[in-house]
Amino acid sequence: MMPVDLVRMQMAMAFGLLDMQQKMVSGAFQMALWWMPGVATAAPGAGNICAPSGRRRTKG
């Protein structure tokens, strides 16, 4: 294994871990928003994910 291969492997691992960390922080932030009272009115789309967003269009 050449030194260049080691550097490439370290770069791949670093970016893979960075991606995983970003996903975990994003998930934790979303969970925090769900548990905070009154956020549904302050931040659109951050409240109940099961509620319909806006009016439904009728086919006609």
Side-chain angles (χ1 to χ4, degrees), residues 1 3-4 8 10 14 16 23 28 32 34-35 45 47-49 52 57-58:
M1 195 175 232
V4 174
R8 286 181 184 162
Q10 286 180 335
K23 288 178 183 176
W34 286 343
W35 284 99
N48 187 359
I49 61 171
R57 294 183 181 172
T58 58

Side-chain angles (χ1 to χ4, degrees), residues 2-56:
M2 297 182 66
V4 174
D5 295 328
L6 291 173
V7 171
R8 286 181 184 162
M9 185 177 67
Q10 286 180 335
M11 292 283 289
M13 290 174 57
F15 282 111
L17 289 174
L18 179 64
D19 184 47
M20 185 176 66
Q21 181 185 18
Q22 287 175 345
K23 288 178 183 176
M24 291 175 64
V25 169
S26 175
F29 180 70
Q30 187 65 44
M31 288 291 290
L33 283 179
W34 286 343
W35 284 99
M36 288 176 60
V39 173
T41 57
N48 187 359
I49 61 171
C50 297
S53 58
R55 297 183 182 181
R56 295 178 186 242

